[in-house]
Amino acid sequence: MSDLPHALPRIGLGTDRHRLVAARPCWLGGVLFGDCPVGPDGHSDGDAILHALTDALLGAAGLDDLGTLFPDTDPAWQGVASTEFVQAALAQLSARRLQCWSVDLVVQCDRPKISPRRAEVRARLADLLSLPLDRVNLKGKTREGVGSEIEAVDVTAVVLVGPAT
Ligand code: MG
């Protein structure tokens, strides 16, 4: 391993998938979709957008992944808001004199519809990442009926990370 700081930008990629089940609050991107009858199952709040984002941030910094740093066998992470994972990842980047420069996300699910609240999710993510809105993008896609016997949300996140300024 080379010593830090890193002079070059680096890309991080993260994906996540959660089943959508009844009687779970629907947290996505740190926003509660309160009128959605299903929500992501999981050990934490199941926020697949924030999990994919956290994995992308950790990946860009060469820091393994969310499951390694915040194992679901550790009661400390039981039921936490996934914003804590993002904040913990950002702290790890900051300790290495790195910062997130931009993020792009694709969310695939049939419920909830992302587009009506896309601006809200982008604003929430931009706030979490301390980024201007135009460096945080989010696209919602349907699953086109594929795998419809098991309802789920799939997220892909890509981030650009570089030296802290
Ligand atoms: Mg997850």
Side-chain angles (χ1 to χ4, degrees), residues 30-89:
V31 169
L32 180 62
F33 288 71
D35 56 356
C36 186
V38 293
D41 200 10
H43 183 74
S44 61
D45 61 13
D47 191 325
I49 290 180
L50 297 187
H51 295 180
L53 173 60
T54 302
D55 259 350
L57 291 168
L58 295 173
L63 289 168
D64 294 316
D65 64 13
L66 187 150
T68 303
L69 266 68
F70 317 114
D72 63 9
T73 51
D74 184 344
W77 302 109
Q78 178 90 43
V80 300
S82 296
T83 49
E84 292 193 28
F85 298 137
V86 177
Q87 286 161 342

Side-chain angles (χ1 to χ4, degrees), residues 117-138:
R117 300 187 67 187
R118 172 156 61 168
E120 190 182 345
V121 175
R122 284 182 71 184
R124 179 76 178 111
L125 296 174
D127 183 54
L128 262 176
L129 296 163
S130 301
L131 286 175
L133 267 181
D134 68 353
R135 295 201 192 182
V136 178
N137 199 52
L138 174 75

Side-chain angles (χ1 to χ4, degrees), residues 76-149:
W77 302 109
Q78 178 90 43
V80 300
S82 296
T83 49
E84 292 193 28
F85 298 137
V86 177
Q87 286 161 342
L90 290 173
Q92 298 257 359
L93 263 62
S94 181
R96 287 159 178 79
R97 282 172 279 167
L98 295 168
Q99 70 183 65
C100 179
W101 288 358
S102 68
V103 56
D104 194 14
L105 293 139
V106 178
V107 183
Q108 289 180 282
C109 58
D110 293 326
R111 302 187 285 182
K113 293 295 178 204
I114 299 298
S115 58
R117 300 187 67 187
R118 172 156 61 168
E120 190 182 345
V121 175
R122 284 182 71 184
R124 179 76 178 111
L125 296 174
D127 183 54
L128 262 176
L129 296 163
S130 301
L131 286 175
L133 267 181
D134 68 353
R135 295 201 192 182
V136 178
N137 199 52
L138 174 75
K139 282 97 69 180
K141 306 222 178 248
T142 66
R143 301 176 77 213
E144 298 291 344
V146 176
S148 56
E149 67 282 2

Side-chain angles (χ1 to χ4, degrees), residues 10 16 25 100 147:
R10 61 254 307 277
D16 197 32
C100 179

